[in-house]
Amino acid sequence: MKSSFLLQDTVIPSGLMIVGANNQDTLNDARLAILGQAMRAGNALGFQFDQPKKVIDLYAGTPQQQKNILVKSSFCEAPPEGVEYKISMVGSRSGSYNFCGDEAASNVIPMIRAAGVSGEKSVVLFSQAISNASSLLLADTLNQYRAEAKMAGVLVIVMLACTEGFKKSELPALCEEFIEVDEVEPDFDQDLAMSFDVHSQRDMHRMGIGKVMCSLSYANRRINVKFVPFVSKKSNVRALWYLHCAGRTNAKIAKVVELHPSNVTRQLQKLPRSAPVVMPDDWIKKMLAHFDFEESDAEDASKPKSKSSGHRPPPTIWDGSDDEHNDNDDDDQDDDEDDSDDLDDESQEE
């Protein structure tokens, strides 16, 4: 996906970028997506990466662990022509090595300086699990990385996993861009999905700007990464949006998903004004089958449905989930919770 809207002067050529997630697994998946965008000068996140000549991917561990990482990287898309991608191991304690501590800074800073000496555009990336996003030591180390990166003309991407989240953190003030990653329900044909929330563009989320959904799937020995506009964390709410983008009227959508038309209208009005994504008819049909919906029944006026017949979704299809309360973005949390509440109420009415 190419972003349909880019703010002026949003190219980030050098300095510090921080990507935060509330668990290590989500961060590892986000790392693949960020690497792909950085290597290809992508703009799917709403800003433009400057085209690098070299990307240095740092890990802590032994040479054997490096081999394992190389095997994993072989499942990803190869770097574009003209871009050198290098995996470097720093230290030998993968479990306890701290990229945001004094010991690591003495190793990483020389790498940043060396990357800048060549005069070629370079990216240095690493990830670290932390317990406190408000730590003064963390802030001091990140400030050092930022200063060195600016002087060297290098982009340093620091990916942080913190179970407490980043809601009260001052990290966004310490970098050129802060991106928060959160898990979302994947569409039926994807293995996992996450949202990328660009901090500097949060006031434009309602316009479909600054927040995207990224999906990962594995097929034919390849990890495929796909970006689409962010609509909702809930796959059932996105189903309404996909049908709307495909040209179905609210009345037809309501018949398909067995909700009242006014309920469908409310849900669609709450969603961000994202650019439409028109999926093929075959994909729409498979999506509906995933939720046990059948569009042909809804469109055949000669076969009226009774409440005792037809394809009625299990109650859990429209239920909310408790994990909404862990959303770090208050606005998005309220929107998604409202979506689930309205859908729950409609199910009870019927």
Side-chain angles (χ1 to χ4, degrees):
M1 180 191 104
K2 288 292 184 181
S3 177
S4 60
F5 185 93
L6 287 175
L7 298 181
Q8 291 184 349
D9 303 321
T10 54
V11 176
I12 305 178
S14 64
L16 178 66
M17 180 185 296
I18 301 176
V19 181
N22 61 11
N23 68 77
Q24 189 65 54
D25 289 337
T26 300
L27 194 72
N28 291 340
D29 297 328
R31 184 173 187 159
L32 297 177
I34 290 288
L35 267 174
Q37 285 291 292
M39 284 194 293
R40 292 167 182 80
N43 67 355
L45 300 179
F47 59 85
Q48 182 79 51
F49 280 92
D50 207 3
Q51 181 63 65
K53 291 293 185 181
K54 178 184 292 186
V55 176
I56 304 172
D57 201 3
L58 299 182
Y59 289 87
T62 64
Q64 180 57 46
Q65 289 170 317
Q66 183 179 27
K67 292 180 181 179
N68 297 335
I69 295 167
L70 286 169
V71 170
K72 181 180 179 180
S73 68
S74 68
F75 294 112
C76 301
E77 188 177 356
E81 186 177 353
V83 177
E84 178 188 353
Y85 174 59
K86 180 181 179 182
I87 295 176
S88 296
M89 308 304 290
V90 181
S92 58
R93 308 185 312 277
S94 60
S96 60
Y97 192 83
N98 183 6
F99 275 104
C100 297
D102 292 336
E103 177 189 2
S106 63
N107 292 325
V108 175
I109 287 177
M111 291 185 173
I112 297 173
R113 292 174 179 172
V117 168
S118 65
E120 298 179 334
K121 294 291 183 181
S122 300
V123 173
V124 177
L125 181 146
F126 58 84
S127 68
Q128 180 63 49
I130 59 175
S131 58
N132 181 9
S134 300
S135 164
L136 293 178
L137 176 60
L138 172 65
D140 181 62
T141 305
L142 293 177
N143 272 324
Q144 291 183 57
Y145 288 151
R146 184 184 189 185
E148 293 289 344
K150 296 289 283 185
M151 287 190 294
V154 173
L155 177 61
V156 174
I157 303 177
V158 179
M159 309 196 66
L160 301 175
C162 181
T163 55
E164 296 181 357
F166 301 86
K167 188 174 181 180
K168 298 180 180 179
S169 171
E170 297 297 326
L171 292 180
L174 304 180
C175 57
E176 275 58 53
E177 191 59 82
F178 182 84
I179 303 171
E180 196 160 355
V181 184
D182 196 11
E183 290 179 278
V184 304
E185 293 178 1
D187 289 326
F188 75 94
D189 60 341
Q190 301 295 312
D191 295 321
L192 55 93
M194 66 202 96
S195 63
F196 285 81
D197 176 356
V198 180
H199 190 272
S200 65
Q201 300 178 19
R202 277 190 168 176
D203 58 338
M204 293 180 287
H205 284 179
R206 292 300 297 166
M207 295 182 283
I209 300 168
K211 190 169 185 177
V212 299
M213 187 175 89
C214 175
S215 301
L216 272 66
S217 61
Y218 179 78
N220 300 321
R221 297 183 62 81
R222 277 286 179 267
I223 298 174
N224 303 299
V225 181
K226 181 179 75 171
F227 289 92
V228 297
F230 176 83
V231 176
S232 172
K233 294 175 68 174
K234 303 291 185 183
S235 58
N236 58 351
V237 176
R238 292 199 304 274
L240 304 181
W241 183 72
Y242 286 129
L243 289 169
H244 176 72
C245 292
R248 273 61 163 182
T249 65
N250 289 1
K252 285 187 177 181
I253 295 173
K255 289 180 181 179
V256 171
V257 302
E258 300 184 8
L259 294 175
H260 194 278
S262 63
N263 194 327
V264 172
T265 299
R266 284 199 303 272
Q267 302 311 316
L268 293 175
Q269 287 176 341
K270 291 176 183 178
L271 302 182
R273 304 299 182 257
S274 300
V277 174
V278 181
M279 304 300 290
D281 288 341
D282 183 59
W283 191 93
I284 293 290
K285 187 175 182 179
K286 290 178 180 178
M287 176 195 71
L288 293 175
H290 173 74
F291 289 113
D292 197 23
F293 296 141
E294 188 173 345
E295 191 171 24
S296 58
D297 287 350
E299 293 180 340
D300 190 347
S302 65
K303 297 180 181 179
K305 272 189 176 180
S306 67
K307 289 188 177 181
S308 61
S309 65
H311 292 269
R312 189 163 189 80
T316 54
I317 290 295
W318 297 119
D319 284 349
S321 62
D322 294 337
D323 63 2
E324 292 298 325
H325 299 293
N326 295 325
D327 194 349
N328 290 323
D329 188 336
D330 290 338
D331 293 336
D332 292 333
Q333 177 182 352
D334 294 340
D335 289 343
D336 281 346
E337 286 180 340
D338 289 344
D339 292 345
S340 299
D341 291 343
D342 286 347
L343 294 170
D344 288 343
D345 293 343
E346 185 65 38
S347 296
Q348 292 172 2
E349 289 173 9
E350 294 182 355

